[in-house]
Amino acid sequence: MHHDKRGHLRTYDQIPRRPERPADYAAYRYPVPVAEGEPLRVSGYDLNLPDSDQRRGRKLSQVGHGGVDLLAPRGTEVRVVALEHQDGDAEVLLAGKLFGTTVVTRHTLREAGRLREYVVLYGHLASVAPGIEPGRPVADGTVVGYVGDTGSEGIVHLHLEVRRVRDGVDLAKVAPERVVAGEIAVVCDPRNVLPLK
Ligand SMILES: [Zn+2]
């Protein structure tokens, strides 16, 4: 939850990092290479933090940051990462405008003996990779796009975000752009599902 600029308390669903998952962002594998020994220059997930520690913008008009920002040079290939306990290949759900030029992939995970669906958002891309379109299966390592700054002009980075699809939602019946609606999926700390190095 956080306070809006009028001081009202706003509450929202989010799934914080599970305690058994490493807090150190450097422990995980990402869609873009992170140089060995370099500090991992990320703006991390902050929705679980107190108001004052969230990235709210000067006017407190935004909610905090529900993803990880990875710095990489313009044009760096963005590759699908198979998530922990993933069942089968991921599939492209959207390739177009969302957070600037964005690709969204859909992943089915086996968790606690049941299947759960997650979506991964790759935002602010320079462009989508050839052949990446909705319905296309994408294995670990498939290039889906290239790092850029669409929708974040001047700040070249990959915005990586994970959301868990709510129980009972059939993504086949949802317009892809609505995948970021709160009633469709819940933003989730990516460290819960990214593979460890
Ligand atoms: Zn971001």
Side-chain angles (χ1 to χ4, degrees):
M1 63 182 78
H2 69 245
H3 290 86
D4 67 15
K5 53 186 170 181
R6 290 200 299 272
H8 297 139
L9 195 60
R10 302 283 168 194
T11 62
Y12 41 83
D13 291 331
Q14 58 93 20
I15 302 169
R17 179 177 58 85
R18 295 197 308 275
E20 71 271 22
R21 302 292 293 174
D24 183 2
Y25 284 99
Y28 298 90
R29 190 157 68 80
Y30 293 101
V32 291
V34 175
E36 202 64 47
E38 289 277 304
L40 184 67
R41 294 170 299 169
V42 294
S43 175
Y45 185 91
D46 67 14
L47 296 183
N48 56 322
L49 299 179
D51 226 12
S52 53
D53 294 338
Q54 292 194 20
R55 198 177 78 178
R56 303 285 313 289
R58 267 176 308 175
K59 295 177 181 159
L60 297 185
S61 54
Q62 299 158 20
V63 296
H65 193 233
V68 181
D69 288 343
L70 298 157
L71 297 189
R74 186 185 298 276
T76 301
E77 291 174 332
V78 175
R79 294 175 180 274
V80 170
V81 167
L83 302 180
E84 293 256 296
H85 311 299
Q86 185 172 311
D87 190 71
D89 282 344
E91 181 186 300
V92 177
L93 190 67
L94 175 149
K97 296 274 170 268
L98 197 61
F99 302 149
T101 299
T102 300
V103 170
V104 180
T105 51
R106 163 187 188 170
H107 304 243
T108 303
L109 274 57
R110 188 168 290 280
E111 290 184 331
R114 50 164 291 193
L115 296 176
R116 271 214 174 104
E117 284 205 291
Y118 286 78
V119 291
V120 176
L121 294 84
Y122 313 82
H124 309 307
L125 301 175
S127 61
V128 174
I132 294 302
E133 51 193 36
R136 157 96 188 262
V138 279
D140 186 80
T142 301
V143 177
V144 291
Y146 307 95
V147 171
D149 64 350
T150 55
S152 70
E153 277 68 23
I155 308 167
V156 175
H157 73 287
L158 175 68
H159 173 85
L160 177 70
E161 184 173 318
V162 174
R163 296 191 183 218
R164 190 167 85 191
V165 178
R166 288 188 186 272
D167 287 342
V169 169
D170 179 359
L171 283 181
K173 295 180 181 159
V174 173
E177 305 73 35
R178 290 198 61 236
V179 75
V180 291
E183 66 270 29
I184 303 299
V186 181
V187 65
C188 168
D189 192 311
R191 291 171 290 189
N192 283 342
V193 294
L194 283 172
L196 295 168
K197 269 187 187 161

